[in-house]
Amino acid sequence: MYIITVASTKGGVGKSTFVLNFATVLLNQGKKVAVLDADSQGTISKWSKVRDYMIDSGEKIPKLFVAGVRGEALLEIANDKKQQGYFVLIDSPGVDDSNMRSSLLRSDIVVSTCPTSAIDLWEIESLINILKKLQTIQNRKIPLVLLFNKVPSIHSNLAVKEALDFFDQNNINPDYILKSIIKERVAFKHSIKSGRGVIECSPQDEKAINEIEESANEIIAILKERYSINI
């Protein structure tokens, strides 16, 4: 299927939380999903252990392939799972290192989760510049999809507008900016503790579910448009 790397040149932007929630949305849609944890913090690997324990204890949640890998093993598993028809989601390190660049080189699209503060918005320019350099290596465009994440619940529309204005003023131009946003919600933090995505938790937070499903569906739509595929 396709390799999607969730990347940032800094930590604290909600990469891992988005990856695991994106993965469970795809999984519950009946898709084959492999998550590769290339982040040294190992958040998704730890979450996966909780999930496996819950499944072994009888919880009715679907099993998810998760591997904590870096270096050559990361590339080998990513390519292997892609050939087997998996959506491969890579949680890249929150730094610019060889593992992140290797992940980006193999990606069909790159998603950057970005809060709306100026210090986080500047990092998008850094990521765009890295992708431009990598583009010359493979002579192909690696599209960057921006998702506003951890958006304040109060005055969220104003926060997004100011972020978009910031991009315009500083000539920062991701290939795609999702219309959907993900707000700062307790539900996302609570879901991690139980080895679930928010769509699998009870009681359900409908707002959190809608946000993750809408963003996931937008990313799938971009894949369909760009690669003319049926997913």
Side-chain angles (χ1 to χ4, degrees):
M1 191 55 74
Y2 288 91
I3 298 175
I4 303 169
T5 294
V6 180
S8 175
T9 55
K10 69 183 292 294
V13 297
K15 286 188 302 85
S16 300
T17 301
F18 175 72
V19 170
L20 65 88
N21 277 285
F22 187 16
T24 53
V25 168
L26 294 173
L27 197 64
N28 282 272
Q29 289 178 353
K31 296 177 174 63
K32 297 167 67 175
V33 186
V35 178
L36 304 185
D37 187 357
D39 194 330
S40 59
Q41 290 187 348
T43 300
I44 291 181
S45 296
K46 295 170 187 173
W47 170 85
S48 178
K49 289 179 181 178
V50 177
R51 186 179 185 86
D52 288 343
Y53 174 81
M54 299 304 294
I55 292 172
D56 292 341
S57 300
E59 292 291 333
K60 301 300 181 183
I61 51 177
K63 195 167 182 63
L64 175 66
F65 178 91
V66 175
V69 287
R70 308 189 84 187
E72 288 299 318
L74 170 66
L75 306 181
E76 291 174 5
I77 295 175
N79 287 329
D80 183 52
K81 288 298 182 182
K82 177 180 177 178
Q83 294 302 317
Q84 293 176 31
Y86 281 74
F87 276 88
V88 180
L89 307 184
I90 301 177
D91 184 18
S92 73
V95 293
D96 178 13
D97 68 1
S98 60
N99 285 285
M100 187 182 85
R101 293 194 176 220
S102 294
S103 300
L104 298 178
L105 274 172
R106 298 303 187 276
S107 301
D108 295 293
I109 63 170
V110 174
V111 177
S112 186
T113 54
C114 185
T116 54
S117 67
I119 193 169
D120 293 300
L121 297 173
W122 276 121
E123 295 302 316
I124 298 300
E125 183 176 39
S126 300
L127 187 54
I128 289 172
N129 290 334
I130 291 169
L131 288 170
K132 285 179 179 177
K133 292 177 182 177
L134 296 179
Q135 180 177 339
T136 62
I137 296 174
Q138 290 191 336
N139 194 30
R140 74 176 180 96
K141 176 72 173 178
I142 307 171
L144 176 62
V145 177
L146 180 111
L147 168 63
F148 286 121
N149 190 40
K150 301 176 75 171
V151 178
S153 295
I154 300 175
H155 304 308
S156 57
N157 290 337
L158 178 60
V160 170
K161 181 183 181 303
E162 289 178 345
L164 292 172
D165 289 343
F166 182 92
F167 282 161
D168 287 340
Q169 293 163 7
N170 292 279
N171 196 30
I172 300 173
N173 299 301
D175 298 288
Y176 302 92
I177 299 178
L178 299 187
K179 293 179 181 178
S180 51
I181 65 171
I182 295 179
K183 296 180 182 179
E184 185 78 69
R185 297 191 185 279
V186 174
F188 291 111
K189 297 177 182 178
H190 284 177
S191 70
I192 297 175
K193 299 177 183 178
S194 61
R196 294 174 171 84
V198 291
I199 67 168
E200 300 168 324
C201 289
S202 180
Q204 293 191 323
D205 185 322
E206 293 297 334
K207 291 181 179 179
I209 291 171
N210 288 339
E211 287 171 5
I212 193 65
E213 287 185 333
E214 287 173 3
S215 58
N217 290 334
E218 270 198 84
I219 292 169
I220 292 172
I222 290 170
L223 283 169
K224 287 181 178 180
E225 173 193 335
R226 191 166 189 91
Y227 296 104
S228 301
I229 56 171
N230 292 317
I231 299 175

